[in-house]
Amino acid sequence: MTFDRAFLETWRTILTSRTLLSTMLLAVVLYAFYYPAPYSHETPRKLPVVVVDQDDSALSRAMILDLDATRAISVAEVVANLADAQADMRKGKADGVILISDGLERQLRSGTPGSGIAVWVNATYLLRASTIGETVTAVIQNIAKTHLLPGGQISRGGPPVAVVTEPLFNRTGGYKGYVFPSVAVIIIQQTLLFGAATFMGGRRRTGLWRMGAAEFGGTLAAFSSVGILGCYFLFGLIFWVQAVPMDGNVVGMMIVVPIFATAVAALGLLVGSVFDRSERAIYMLGPTSVPFFFLTGATYPLDQMPYFVAAFARLIPSTSGVHTFVPLNQMGATLGDVAVPLLTMMALAVVYSLLAYIRIVGSSPRSTLTSAP
């Protein structure tokens, strides 16, 4: 089979197979809108908290009103017993407990130690926990400036120094802008990996999985083109539609995308050639999506992982993909800035293509099969 015929036949198979079409094309469109939807507000809003007001002073009441007036926190209840508040948090009625201890106002005005504010948060959701802590800190600082000292001064040395924090790349400071650019790389990889492996598993079941060199090249090019279209769709249209922060190197991204797509497609064909049926590819590869995301280093730095874990992570195309595409798309990096992950990605594309060629084509090309009319 010639290269161009294999390319067209592979695309025809993808478009006419319900499994491949839904896995490789429709799933990308679905995830493009489904995954960012829960984070449309970008930052947590009106997280319920229970306040334990043991001080019961004008300052503590003003603090409670200020907490409830923030966008991040909603004071669900004010109680006097800490045990009741913690029980409500354990039952899921609140995301945090804020304790205003007895004598807080007197302690703040006199500067004597002994009282303070304690915060307990549900650490199951790290973003919620950090948001509650940051909000409480901001409210306390505002109370100190507006209620404790005349003129809003914190110290006798003059007005306080204003500290302005402005995010550099994720300008909204939201979860979607932080995680979706990395997850988009995983979406492309997993849908393409599943599709190519399913395709090869189906061919193994029929016994026609061996290919000639030209047929292998056309098949690999067809699956790579699917990945290329998916990358351009997500990194271009969907990032714009979803208002994902972008300061992109468009030319660099367009150069790198075919390398990444080839690495993933070759890996999918190689892995799929091991399975004896198409269904087994989904069963075996399905649970890998979440581990692969954590191995990208998006949530935990690679250099802080055990050496053997970090070494294994670099064998996965999405790891070098995240470290290449996120700087190119969100940080305006040049190809020189991402040279190390880019070279890793190129090496993976060459190695996986070569291994897939050896596995599927073998030392001698398969002779062209003809079928009886």
Side-chain angles (χ1 to χ4, degrees), residues 107-141:
Q107 181 260 327
L108 290 177
R109 293 189 183 280
S110 62
T112 58
S115 299
I117 297 175
V119 180
W120 290 266
V121 294
N122 182 359
T124 305
Y125 304 99
L126 297 180
L127 189 63
R128 296 184 181 184
S130 63
T131 300
I132 293 174
E134 293 169 359
T135 303
V136 172
T137 302
V139 168
I140 292 174
Q141 292 175 344

Side-chain angles (χ1 to χ4, degrees), residues 6 15 114 116 164 184 274 338:
L15 295 176
V164 179
V274 178
V338 295

Side-chain angles (χ1 to χ4, degrees), residues 29-66:
V29 177
L30 174 64
Y31 277 113
F33 294 96
Y34 168 77
Y35 189 86
Y39 313 108
S40 58
H41 293 301
E42 287 283 9
T43 56
R45 296 185 179 182
K46 290 301 178 183
L47 299 175
V49 298
V50 177
V51 177
V52 182
D53 186 8
Q54 295 179 345
D55 192 39
D56 194 22
S57 62
L59 181 68
S60 68
R61 289 189 289 271
M63 187 177 299
I64 294 172
L65 291 175
D66 287 352

Side-chain angles (χ1 to χ4, degrees), residues 127-209:
L127 189 63
R128 296 184 181 184
S130 63
T131 300
I132 293 174
E134 293 169 359
T135 303
V136 172
T137 302
V139 168
I140 292 174
Q141 292 175 344
N142 182 67
I143 288 289
K145 288 190 293 184
T146 58
H147 289 73
L148 294 181
L149 296 177
Q153 294 185 357
I154 293 180
S155 65
R156 299 178 184 272
V161 176
V163 178
V164 179
T165 303
E166 183 174 345
L168 183 58
F169 301 114
N170 182 10
R171 297 180 182 88
T172 62
Y175 185 77
K176 181 175 67 176
Y178 155 66
V179 75
F180 187 58
S182 300
V183 171
V185 179
I186 294 292
I187 291 173
I188 295 297
Q189 173 182 276
Q190 295 303 92
T191 54
L192 181 56
L193 187 67
F194 293 170
T198 300
F199 172 83
M200 282 304 301
R203 291 195 61 151
R204 274 210 65 181
R205 187 173 186 177
T206 61
L208 300 176
W209 64 284

Side-chain angles (χ1 to χ4, degrees), residues 2 9 21 31 67 121 198 267 305 329 340 364:
T2 62
E9 281 295 316
L21 180 63
Y31 277 113
L67 286 170
V121 294
T198 300
L267 179 61
M305 298 181 185
N329 292 334
V340 173
S364 59

Side-chain angles (χ1 to χ4, degrees), residues 123-338:
T124 305
Y125 304 99
L126 297 180
L127 189 63
R128 296 184 181 184
S130 63
T131 300
I132 293 174
E134 293 169 359
T135 303
V136 172
T137 302
V139 168
I140 292 174
Q141 292 175 344
N142 182 67
I143 288 289
K145 288 190 293 184
T146 58
H147 289 73
L148 294 181
L149 296 177
Q153 294 185 357
I154 293 180
S155 65
R156 299 178 184 272
V161 176
V163 178
V164 179
T165 303
E166 183 174 345
L168 183 58
F169 301 114
N170 182 10
R171 297 180 182 88
T172 62
Y175 185 77
K176 181 175 67 176
Y178 155 66
V179 75
F180 187 58
S182 300
V183 171
V185 179
I186 294 292
I187 291 173
I188 295 297
Q189 173 182 276
Q190 295 303 92
T191 54
L192 181 56
L193 187 67
F194 293 170
T198 300
F199 172 83
M200 282 304 301
R203 291 195 61 151
R204 274 210 65 181
R205 187 173 186 177
T206 61
L208 300 176
W209 64 284
R210 292 286 186 180
M211 303 179 188
E215 183 180 1
F216 171 79
T219 303
L220 177 60
F223 279 106
S224 299
S225 66
V226 176
I228 292 171
L229 291 176
C231 285
Y232 291 159
F233 172 72
L234 283 180
F235 299 157
L237 177 64
I238 294 303
F239 278 11
W240 174 72
V241 170
Q242 296 289 352
V244 174
M246 289 190 297
D247 187 10
N249 182 346
V250 178
V251 175
M253 182 269 293
M254 296 183 70
I255 293 174
V256 176
V257 161
I259 303 173
F260 173 73
T262 301
V264 177
L267 179 61
L269 294 176
L270 175 63
V271 173
S273 67
V274 178
F275 300 128
D276 57 353
R277 61 185 64 189
S278 59
E279 296 84 359
R280 205 176 300 278
I282 300 297
Y283 298 155
M284 299 299 293
L285 296 176
T288 63
S289 299
V290 174
F292 282 176
F293 173 70
F294 286 108
L295 288 174
T296 62
T299 58
Y300 194 81
L302 280 175
D303 58 5
Q304 299 301 310
M305 298 181 185
Y307 176 77
F308 68 94
V309 176
F312 173 76
R314 289 183 172 88
L315 298 177
I316 307 169
S318 57
T319 301
S320 55
V322 167
H323 290 271
T324 302
F325 288 124
V326 172
L328 288 177
N329 292 334
Q330 274 68 50
M331 302 179 183
T334 64
L335 291 178
D337 296 330
V338 295

